[in-house]
């Protein structure tokens, strides 16, 4: 019985570890079948990522999955969604909410149109693209900048200190827009 209990515990812990993998989480929990490039993004282990993709390629969907995964599997994580306008960051946040609605159990302490907080203390917050109003967040675990080619340099520079101490991950995603 003792050995059987240990084997059962090991299987259970391995299942938890599998779900901690973003690709496994996306395919098994969210029933999302990624394109090959999206699969590579889900397996990304770095600190900074630039996605320069055509419109309607699925970059917002894959970013929403990564944001939700970070919030679920990293307790007390702070995930920020930034864009040039509040409307754009709210659209990305809506994609996070859509992914969350697929999960059988939703453990929310707070949910509104611009942010949510899970029972594990993690938060996902969408913010407008104003460097004057974005300041004040620290310990950011994941920062996603949508339409980064159109975000002002001032906004980009205002976000850098948010990641300095926490060594958080930074995703810049955009459609091409000239040399910028």
């Amino acid at each position: 019985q003792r050995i059987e209990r240990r084997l059962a515990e090991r299987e259970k812990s391995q299942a938890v570890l599998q779900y901690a993998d973003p690709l496994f989480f996306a395919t098994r929990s969210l029933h999302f079948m990624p394109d090959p490039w999206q699969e590579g993004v889900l397996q990304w282990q770095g600190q900074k990522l630039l996605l320069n993709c055509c419109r309607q390629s699925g970059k917002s969907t894959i970013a929403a999955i990564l944001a939700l995964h970070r919030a679920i599997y990293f307790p007390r994580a702070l995930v920020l969604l930034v864009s040039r306008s509040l409307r754009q960051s709210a659209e990305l946040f809506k994609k996070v909410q859509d992914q969350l609605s697929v999960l059988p159990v939703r453990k929310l302490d707070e949910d509104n149109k611009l942010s949510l907080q899970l029972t594990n203390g993690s938060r996902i917050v969408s913010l407008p693209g104003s460097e004057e109003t974005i300041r004040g967040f620290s310990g950011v675990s994941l920062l996603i900048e949508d339409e980064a080619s159109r975000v002002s340099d001032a906004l980009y520079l205002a976000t850098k200190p948010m990641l300095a101490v926490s060594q958080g991950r930074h995703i810049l995603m955009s459609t091409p827009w000239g040399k910028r």
Side-chain angles (χ1 to χ4, degrees):
Q1 279 183 335
R2 186 171 45 113
I3 293 172
E4 288 176 10
R5 257 186 288 145
R6 281 188 182 169
L7 288 173
E9 287 174 11
R10 178 181 283 171
E11 286 176 10
K12 186 177 179 181
S13 68
Q14 286 176 345
V16 170
L17 289 175
Q18 286 176 331
Y19 282 97
D21 171 17
L23 180 59
F24 191 88
F25 171 73
T27 57
R28 296 297 196 277
S29 296
L30 301 175
H31 311 291
F32 177 77
M33 294 310 299
D35 291 337
W37 75 267
Q38 292 171 319
E39 189 174 322
V41 171
L42 289 169
Q43 293 175 326
W44 163 63
Q45 295 295 314
Q47 192 173 1
K48 296 182 182 193
L49 179 66
L50 173 62
L51 298 175
N52 193 14
C53 306
C54 64
R55 294 185 66 204
Q56 301 301 310
S57 62
K59 61 187 172 296
S60 295
T61 299
I62 209 70
I65 290 170
L66 286 172
L68 185 57
H69 180 269
R70 176 62 55 150
I72 290 172
Y73 289 99
F74 293 80
R76 306 207 46 79
L78 176 57
V79 177
L80 297 182
L81 310 175
V82 179
S83 188
R84 189 172 92 170
S85 71
L86 184 57
R87 182 193 61 77
Q88 285 175 311
S89 57
E91 280 298 311
L92 181 55
F93 181 72
K94 174 80 169 87
K95 289 189 183 288
V96 172
Q97 290 176 311
D98 290 346
Q99 296 298 332
L100 181 62
S101 71
V102 173
L103 297 176
V105 177
R106 297 181 357 169
K107 300 175 181 177
L108 297 175
D109 271 355
E110 174 189 331
D111 187 13
N112 59 54
K113 291 184 180 188
L114 300 176
S115 67
L116 63 83
Q117 181 167 336
L118 301 176
T119 56
N120 70 357
S122 292
R123 295 186 303 151
I124 301 175
V125 181
S126 65
L127 298 167
S130 168
E131 64 91 14
E132 296 166 350
T133 58
I134 199 171
R135 297 174 191 273
F137 289 94
S138 61
V140 175
S141 181
L142 176 61
L143 174 65
I144 299 173
E145 289 188 47
D146 193 11
E147 290 304 338
S149 68
R150 289 161 175 82
V151 168
S152 71
D153 290 342
L155 176 64
Y156 173 76
L157 293 172
T159 62
K160 294 193 68 79
M162 298 175 187
L163 300 166
V165 174
S166 66
Q167 297 297 301
R169 301 176 94 190
H170 193 180
I171 298 174
L172 297 165
M173 57 184 201
S174 192
T175 53
W177 193 43
K179 292 181 182 180
R180 188 165 168 73

